[in-house]
Amino acid sequence: MDKILLSAKNVSSCYSGREALHNVSAELKGGRITAIIGPNGSGKSTFLKTLIGIVPKKEGEIFSEGRNTDGMSAPEIARRIAYLPQMKSVPDLTVRTMVLHGRFSHLSYPRRYRKEDMEAVERAMETVGISEYAEKNVSSLSGGTVQLVFLAMALAQNSSVILMDEPTSFLDISHQLNLMKLCGSLAAEGKAVTAVLHDIPLALKYADDIIVLSGGKAVASGTASQVYKSGILNAVFNAEIKEAASESGIIYYCQ
Ligand code: ADP
Ligand code: MG
């Protein structure tokens, strides 16, 4: 059994009194890629933000490796859970300096980087394939490469859970596939790799588990094949999603 690294139990949250997430329960397991899918405005970003406490929860409980996250400090949560937001402002920093920011939660004030911090940074840049840009200013890079810099920063955090909000946006198809393969190797290291994905066929093909949100509620969850077979996706997305056999196994497409 894959270990549950992060779980939400009956979690609700709201913006200015208006509920955006209603009674959501979910489990994110180590060794697996979990995709969060749902129409625009269904609460996907809110769900990730609630898990790490950027959006405070109104009800329910969140457990990180069995421990309630209530009362955990922000650095402690960051050492356990890395988060890549959907909207990112591009900083005026070199790639290496930015990736180094992923180490903040491991340092006490005043910040002094240790050898292990520098090593974690080099390793993270190498893993996502951006070492050659280490000295470049982030603002000079293409949108797809910037996305990888954010991912490297999250990896440098060395957490067992990674939450990514639409990491494939701005990536062309070959970089999207590379990213999904990279997610696979991170999961193989035992991490709980979690991504909001808007490409349903991509999610069905690459994710082990899927959580479907609609109107702020988790309307389905299970393995990709269970969720596909339940037929709920057609209703939720108002589209016909189909599967077909291919040389590389089952593929999915929308009609
Ligand atoms: P998704 O990521 O699935 O597109 P969101 O989680 O961003 O959806 O939004 C869920 C709901 O919460 C939407 O109705 C959205 O308008 C609302 N919402 C999101 N962020 C805010 C905010 N900062 N203030 C007020 N309402 C928000
Ligand atoms: Mg969103």
Side-chain angles (χ1 to χ4, degrees):
M1 260 286 281
D2 293 303
K3 194 172 165 199
I4 297 166
L5 296 182
L6 190 64
S7 61
K9 298 256 185 300
N10 307 110
V11 167
S12 301
S13 52
C14 54
Y15 298 103
S16 336
R18 218 183 113 251
E19 205 167 70
L21 207 63
H22 181 73
N23 209 27
V24 171
S25 294
E27 292 175 344
L28 305 177
K29 295 177 183 150
R32 298 180 75 83
I33 300 176
T34 303
I36 297 168
I37 61 176
N40 289 339
S42 57
K44 304 180 296 294
S45 297
T46 303
F47 179 51
L48 295 193
K49 288 176 188 170
T50 307
L51 285 176
I52 53 146
I54 298 179
V55 169
K57 62 185 161 52
K58 201 179 71 175
E59 278 165 45
E61 286 170 314
I62 294 164
F63 297 93
S64 163
E65 296 187 52
R67 263 190 61 202
N68 197 315
T69 60
D70 282 344
M72 275 188 195
S73 67
E76 177 163 17
I77 291 179
R79 285 193 296 272
R80 292 163 172 266
I81 311 166
Y83 165 67
L84 261 91
Q86 182 174 8
M87 296 291 189
K88 308 173 193 69
S89 50
V90 178
D92 183 20
L93 295 171
T94 67
V95 169
R96 182 177 279 112
T97 306
M98 183 167 157
V99 177
L100 205 44
H101 282 54
R103 299 299 300 170
F104 276 13
S105 59
H106 291 268
L107 303 171
S108 50
Y109 196 81
R111 295 184 187 112
R112 279 208 186 81
Y113 297 111
R114 303 152 298 178
K115 190 162 168 264
E116 66 196 84
D117 299 312
M118 304 315 290
E119 283 169 359
V121 166
E122 297 308 315
R123 211 167 38 239
M125 291 194 297
E126 205 175 306
T127 303
V128 304
I130 54 163
S131 301
E132 63 184 291
Y133 305 114
E135 302 304 327
K136 289 238 154 53
N137 194 294
V138 181
S139 59
S140 72
L141 303 173
S142 72
T145 311
V146 171
Q147 193 79 306
L148 294 176
V149 178
F150 275 94
L151 179 59
M153 182 170 72
L155 290 186
Q157 227 164 300
N158 231 355
S159 58
S160 56
V161 177
I162 305 177
L163 308 177
M164 299 181 272
D165 201 344
E166 302 206 8
T168 55
S169 47
F170 308 118
L171 298 185
D172 60 36
I173 186 73
S174 88
H175 286 96
Q176 283 188 28
L177 298 180
N178 283 344
L179 183 94
M180 294 317 296
K181 285 177 192 152
L182 177 58
C183 288
S185 34
L186 295 171
E189 288 175 15
K191 291 181 192 288
V193 179
T194 310
V196 170
L197 296 174
H198 58 258
D199 184 327
I200 312 308
L202 193 78
L204 286 167
K205 179 153 175 61
Y206 285 94
D208 301 299
D209 298 317
I210 296 210
I211 297 166
V212 186
L213 294 182
S214 178
K217 296 181 181 156
V219 293
S221 64
T223 64
S225 131
Q226 283 167 345
V227 168
Y228 171 75
K229 290 199 170 92
S230 74
I232 196 167
L233 298 178
N234 292 355
V236 167
F237 291 99
N238 194 23
E240 230 175 292
I241 296 151
K242 294 189 169 170
E243 67 178 353
S246 85
E247 286 164 11
S248 64
I250 292 176
I251 54 162
Y252 298 88
Y253 60 99
C254 283
Q255 263 189 336

